[in-house]
Every structure is written in C-alpha cells, then in structure tokens.
Amino acid sequence: MEPNSTALAAWERLADIFHDNQNARAVALEQEFSSVRMETFPNVTTYCQRLKTLSDQLRDVGAPVNNHRLVLQLISGLTDAYKGVATLIRQSNPLPTFHHARSMLTLEEAGLAKMKPVEPPAAYVATQSRASDVSSQSTDRRSSNRSRSHNSKGRGGNRGNGGGSRRGTSQGSYPPMPPQPQYFLYQHWGWAPPPWVVPSCPYPTS
C-alpha cells in the first residue's frame, strides 16, 4: 500500500509478482509433467491427482494442457499391470475424458487388489516362528533327556553287575567274576575309587 495508490495499481503490482518468470516456470512444469510415472506413487488416485495438479499449474502460467494430451500422458506413465486398460483407453475414438479414464484405472486397481493372495499378518508369522522354535527346543530337550536316561541306565546296569560280581551273583548280561581285589574292580569298571578305599603302595596281592 502506498499513498494516493489506486486499486488498479495494486492489482497490477500483484499480477506482476505472481506472473514473474512465467515462461521459466512453464518450462519446469512441462518437464515435470512429462516425466510423471505411476511407479513413484502408492496408488492410482495419487498418480492422477499429481497429473491434474500439474496441468492446473501449467494453465495458471499460460501453458494450458488439453484433455487429449492429459489422457495420453496418463496412460503413457502407467505400469505393466495396467497394460490392458491402457490399450483400451488408447484405442477409444474419441479418447475418454480424464475423469472417465481415472475411473477406469481405479476399477482396474480394485480388481488387481482382489487377485493378490492374502498374506498373513507379520505378528501371526512371528508367533508361528516362535512356536516352531519352542517346539524344536522341546523336541531337542526330550531327545537329550532320553539319551541321558539311556546312558544312566547302562551305567547303572554296569554298576549293578559289578556289585553282583563282588557278592558272587550273576546279574545282567555279564558272567559272574571270581573274587578279585577291590581296587582291581575299580580299574576294571572304570570307577574312581573313594579316597578311603585306595590302598597304600605297594598294592597288596591278596
């Protein structure tokens, strides 16, 4: 606002501000409009909205985009999943409007979403993985316990047979042994003798 300024002068000043570097901005918008591709957007709606926004901005800087060019740019930037509907739109004569083409793409997107296999949630997969790990660990522990039990039974049987030999009886699958010195039995069966059983050197022969 300036003293003795008219509304027309203020309007023209604002127009100069908004239309400054108009041609340069038109070139930048044209390049961006021509390079828009659907793979950089999450869905059809955002892709179409970006094209419509750029076309509106080009119109504001004096480079309007007609419906024919807008629809051609729309189908040229589609991914391979939309080849069928892109061919259908391209072969239409005359070309459908931008809003009609957008509706066709939206319906195609919904159909493709229904054809995709439903994947289980990540939480379900993690739960199943943990359950499998727990089951595997439990199986390993049971196998280890059975192995220890089998080994302990074998050692217990050996001890039982050794004791039976000392008493002059036959137990298990080993034949009865004749009376032997106590330390010889420890060496034969691989047992560590208690400290109070070890005889003094030299060892007695009977």
Side-chain angles (χ1 to χ4, degrees), residues 58-109:
L58 285 169
R59 181 195 60 200
D60 294 339
V61 296
V65 177
N66 56 28
N67 180 77
H68 185 84
R69 186 185 172 198
L70 183 58
V71 173
L72 289 180
Q73 180 61 39
L74 172 66
I75 61 178
S76 66
L78 294 174
T79 57
D80 294 340
Y82 296 87
K83 282 185 176 180
V85 66
T87 302
L88 180 62
I89 295 174
R90 189 184 304 113
Q91 292 178 352
S92 301
N93 191 16
L95 286 175
T97 63
F98 175 77
H99 298 287
H100 187 196
R102 181 176 62 181
S103 299
M104 295 172 66
L105 292 175
T106 304
L107 291 175
E108 183 70 12
E109 182 181 43

